[in-house]
Amino acid sequence: MMSRMALFLTLAAFCIAVCAGRVEAQTQLLNVSYDPTRELYRDINSLFAADWKKSSGETVTIRMSHGGSGAQARAVIAGIDASVVTLALAADIDAIAERTSKIPADWQKRLPDNSSPYTSTIVFVVRKGNPRGIKDWDDLVKPGIQVVTPNPKTSGGARWNYLAAWAYASEKNGGDDAKIRAFMSALFKNVSVLDTGARGATNTFAQRSIGDVLIAWENEAHLALQEMGADKFEIVTPSLSILAQPTVSLVDGNVDKTGNRKVAQAYLEFLYTAPAQAAIARHFYRPVKPEFADKKDLDRLPALKLVTIDGFFGGWAKVQKAHFAEGGVFDRIMADAHR
Amino acid sequence: MSKRLVSKRPVPPPTAATERPVTRLCLTAVALAFLALFLVLPVIVVFSEALAKGVTVYLETFDDPDARAAIELTLLVVAIAVPLNLVFGVAASWAIAKFEFRGKSLLITLIDLPFSVSPVVSGLIYVLLFGSQGLFGPWLEAHDIKILFALPGIVLATMFVTFPFVARELIPLMQEQGSLDEEAALTLGARGFRIFFTITLPNVAWGLLYGVLLCTARAMGEFGAVSVVSGHIRGVTDTMPLHVEILYNEYNFVAAFAMASLLTLMAVVTLAAKTVLEMHYGDALARTTRI
């Protein structure tokens, strides 16, 4: 009797579990994002929820999912119910558009500034007092320097790191391909830990005290200093870096099914408004509308020479195929570095 | 040993503890040092880190709605996965221990599979099966049933990883006991389920309890497989182990270790329950296992 009862209960529990997955409140948004945006979106979400309540009277709950940008894109492809994606680079949203019918191919034209409401760049974090005297990319390829950067295969941030180094080497060597590759091999020879995500790499460098220099998102670098203590680390801005453009998009296929397109669209448009842009600068990102940001927030982000992915590399589609595909340039550089 | 027995000079047969006291002491010390270093010390670190900023901050961790949701989800997953594994585990070990059929060794191997397969791989199996691009994905989507990135997926992944615990505990026990009792019951006129519930099940009750407790402890702590199928949606599909990682990645070390300490406590309570039961019912346990 007892066991039959137990069997019945477990079956009932499983049915409830299956059904629970089907029932969902209407005014819910799921923002599938990449690793370092946790603090930014916590701030923006509460701003937007208040704004939406005021303008429409509806209460909206915004759920977050964070992880490596590439892994998050794969989760959306595998069917996670994202209303919007806010990923580290356009290539990851391209991948979703390509493999599912949930996002149209021309998604990047639907919002201002190529759908990137904030940008960032790549800088170095070194230990306090800069004991290894690191000033620019050249210092990273010197023998004996330990570099920490995540793996470009899994991390969006790491791809920006890689391309920033490439752009520097290219400028310096007048575009000589062999010399650029030699520089990149020397760089990756010095990489001691290749984490899967940006946040993991920061923790390796800051918490576990591994490496002399961390190549990181500018926002991630400032956040690490704020959280772990400015008395332990310093930020070094290189002479040249890349304009990293994280991008956002509606996931049409999902919002049409859930019926929350209106609020999801409003959420993305909200990112370009004054309060959101101010929050963006507060969290060490570079706002696309700096006029809305607090001047003292902007002063923390120095001007430097930035190349763009479209201008310098000819766009993500090209870069992705040439550098990061199986057997691409990155694979060959890694093979060289570990010969 | 056999060589010694046939040698010309008679040697006293070795008893259980012929080692010199020094050797014994060394062995004990090594074992204790190992335990202290790899088990006790980490547990102490978890609790000291969790309490680093005082009890108030420690308790505040559990006030957070996302933390609450993670705890509730973990308990819910355990409440579904463990009873199901109990039923399947008993059924599988009963079939293996008491009956002869073709493909039996294959079944035993399959039961062990979750032990040998990396949890990440077992998570990916479910993505391949139930993902939008997977085998059943389109059908599930058409019928608006969510498996992946929702509770059912997490339950399935947990069940897969913890499946062997109950069966592995029961199979040797049932095989050792043989089917004499069942045959006796049969001659007395009992049938199928009656034999199972009055003879087989009570005979293995203790082994079963042990398996269930281990299964529970493991189900609460499963990270790899669940990480792949969860989607990491805060407050919805984050289990306790995943929430520990999230908090750690947000530089929220106190909260991360507080959550970890709660997980540790839950596991310790589970194992303590086992010990207490053993202490009180040790005789009954010895009888059923026929030591």
Side-chain angles (χ1 to χ4, degrees):
Chain A
M1 265 315 277
M2 278 298 283
S3 289
R4 240 174 264 180
M5 188 82 162
L7 185 70
F8 172 76
L9 281 179
T10 50
L11 282 178
F14 196 71
C15 290
I16 292 169
V18 171
C19 297
R22 305 176 59 158
V23 184
E24 216 165 69
Q26 283 298 297
T27 42
Q28 248 194 27
L29 277 185
L30 175 59
N31 179 355
V32 171
S33 192
Y34 62 109
D35 243 343
T37 56
R38 300 158 191 271
E39 295 77 13
L40 170 68
Y41 277 111
R42 191 176 305 145
D43 212 350
I44 287 185
N45 288 351
S46 62
L47 289 172
F48 174 74
D51 185 79
W52 186 251
K53 178 98 188 163
K54 211 160 64 185
S55 65
S56 75
E58 265 180 345
T59 308
V60 59
T61 315
I62 301 147
R63 301 282 184 193
M64 294 302 305
S65 168
H66 294 277
S69 189
Q72 292 292 78
R74 267 194 301 283
V76 176
I77 292 166
I80 194 170
D81 207 5
S83 323
V84 298
V85 281
T86 54
L87 297 179
L89 38 90
D92 285 330
I93 303 184
D94 279 339
I96 303 170
E98 215 172 89
R99 290 181 176 79
T100 72
S101 51
K102 287 179 177 171
I103 297 177
D106 66 341
W107 62 271
Q108 213 170 354
K109 299 202 175 67
R110 298 193 293 181
L111 286 165
D113 303 292
N114 274 329
S115 294
S116 36
Y118 43 87
T119 65
S120 190
T121 187
I122 301 303
V123 297
F124 308 147
V125 184
V126 296
R127 314 233 169 250
K128 189 74 189 176
N130 200 355
R132 306 301 297 256
I134 287 156
K135 301 243 154 38
D136 209 345
W137 291 99
D138 280 325
D139 300 316
L140 267 52
V141 299
K142 285 181 182 157
I145 296 287
Q146 284 197 359
V147 179
V148 176
T149 175
N151 187 346
K153 291 270 186 179
T154 52
S155 156
R159 270 175 264 177
W160 291 114
N161 294 354
Y162 168 100
L163 293 173
W166 185 284
Y168 174 84
S170 175
E171 286 282 285
K172 194 187 163 210
N173 296 308
D176 184 333
D177 207 50
K179 280 183 184 159
I180 301 172
R181 286 183 193 216
F183 179 91
M184 295 303 284
S185 295
L187 175 66
F188 277 93
K189 199 175 190 143
N190 281 350
V191 171
S192 50
V193 178
L194 210 56
D195 277 293
T196 52
R199 195 48 71 85
T202 311
N203 273 333
T204 297
F205 181 79
Q207 276 293 107
R208 292 166 54 204
S209 297
I210 292 174
D212 301 311
V213 54
L214 168 76
I215 313 178
W217 291 98
E218 185 180 46
N219 56 284
E220 186 73 3
H222 281 278
L223 182 71
L225 253 68
Q226 185 183 295
E227 294 288 333
M228 313 259 197
D231 53 335
K232 289 189 203 133
F233 310 102
E234 270 176 35
I235 293 175
V236 173
T237 311
S239 65
L240 180 146
S241 195
I242 194 160
L243 179 71
Q245 294 161 295
T247 44
V248 303
S249 175
L250 197 67
V251 186
D252 302 56
N254 289 344
V255 291
D256 287 343
K257 210 157 130 192
T258 325
N260 56 0
R261 175 184 272 271
K262 213 174 115 205
V263 58
Q265 181 68 32
Y267 179 71
L268 292 180
E269 282 164 9
F270 182 76
L271 296 174
Y272 294 87
T273 62
Q277 289 285 314
I280 281 163
R282 243 190 340 267
H283 289 276
F284 310 106
Y285 286 85
R286 295 176 179 235
V288 288
K289 294 183 195 308
E291 63 271 24
F292 291 138
D294 198 330
K295 186 164 178 316
K296 83 174 191 325
D297 288 339
L298 293 176
D299 286 345
R300 301 181 299 188
L301 313 169
L304 72 161
K305 190 178 173 195
L306 296 173
V307 300
T308 65
I309 186 83
D310 292 331
F312 198 89
F313 291 97
W316 266 114
K318 212 175 137 194
V319 169
Q320 191 69 22
K321 202 165 149 233
H323 287 268
F324 304 118
E326 207 59 45
V329 178
F330 173 69
D331 280 347
R332 272 173 277 152
I333 284 169
M334 283 306 274
D336 272 352
H338 295 285
R339 187 169 291 158
Chain B
M1 225 174 20
S2 57
K3 260 187 189 167
R4 275 188 180 180
L5 289 175
V6 296
S7 71
K8 282 173 189 165
R9 226 174 56 198
V11 179
T15 53
T18 51
E19 287 85 5
R20 280 179 303 156
V22 182
T23 322
R24 260 185 279 168
L25 205 67
C26 282
L27 280 174
T28 318
V30 166
L32 281 181
F34 185 84
L35 269 179
L37 197 63
F38 289 96
L39 279 173
V40 181
L41 204 62
V43 172
I44 293 173
V45 169
V46 165
F47 281 91
S48 65
E49 286 280 332
L51 293 165
K53 289 185 184 164
V55 181
T56 333
V57 182
Y58 177 81
L59 290 176
E60 266 169 20
T61 306
F62 307 111
D63 253 357
D64 178 50
D66 288 341
R68 286 264 173 89
I71 298 169
E72 278 163 23
L73 178 64
T74 298
L75 293 177
L76 181 61
V77 168
V78 168
I80 302 170
V82 174
L84 284 175
N85 265 350
L86 171 76
V87 174
F88 295 145
V90 169
S93 38
W94 192 36
I96 284 168
K98 309 281 174 177
F99 302 99
E100 287 303 324
F101 54 92
R102 291 174 82 180
K104 189 163 141 177
S105 53
L106 182 72
L107 185 59
I108 296 177
T109 315
L110 280 179
I111 287 174
D112 273 345
L113 196 67
F115 272 157
S116 48
V117 169
S118 158
V120 176
V121 176
S122 37
L124 281 175
I125 294 169
Y126 289 109
V127 174
L128 290 179
L129 280 179
F130 301 120
S132 296
Q133 320 260 303
L135 203 56
F136 305 121
W139 186 88
L140 289 171
E141 233 154 69
H143 292 77
D144 204 17
I145 299 171
K146 277 184 202 148
I147 302 273
L148 219 53
F149 310 119
L151 182 61
I154 299 174
V155 170
L156 283 174
T158 307
M159 278 178 62
F160 182 90
V161 174
T162 57
F163 182 73
F165 284 95
V166 172
R168 267 287 130 200
E169 205 58 47
L170 289 188
I171 292 170
L173 190 56
M174 283 186 169
Q175 275 177 335
E176 189 195 351
Q177 290 173 352
S179 36
L180 285 178
D181 287 358
E182 280 84 353
E183 280 160 19
L186 194 65
T187 59
L188 293 174
R191 287 275 172 275
F193 276 104
R194 174 116 192 256
I195 296 182
F196 178 75
F197 285 119
T198 52
I199 307 290
T200 314
L201 206 55
N203 268 351
V204 296
W206 286 98
L208 188 62
L209 182 68
Y210 191 61
V212 165
L213 288 176
L214 275 182
C215 187
T216 308
R218 185 75 175 80
M220 285 189 299
E222 176 50 29
F223 177 85
V226 171
S227 172
V228 178
V229 299
S230 125
H232 306 270
I233 306 169
R234 266 187 107 112
V236 184
T237 63
D238 252 339
T239 61
M240 286 174 74
L242 298 183
H243 202 63
V244 171
E245 193 205 22
I246 284 189
L247 291 170
Y248 186 80
N249 275 345
E250 288 176 359
Y251 307 114
N252 201 344
F253 301 120
V254 168
F257 280 104
M259 196 54 120
S261 73
L262 185 63
L263 253 184
T264 314
L265 268 182
M266 282 159 71
V268 168
V269 165
T270 311
L271 293 182
K274 184 201 125 234
T275 315
V276 168
L277 286 171
E278 260 176 5
M279 261 158 54
H280 282 267
Y281 302 97
D283 295 345
L285 180 66
R287 260 203 311 284
T288 58
T289 52
R290 293 184 186 170
I291 291 165

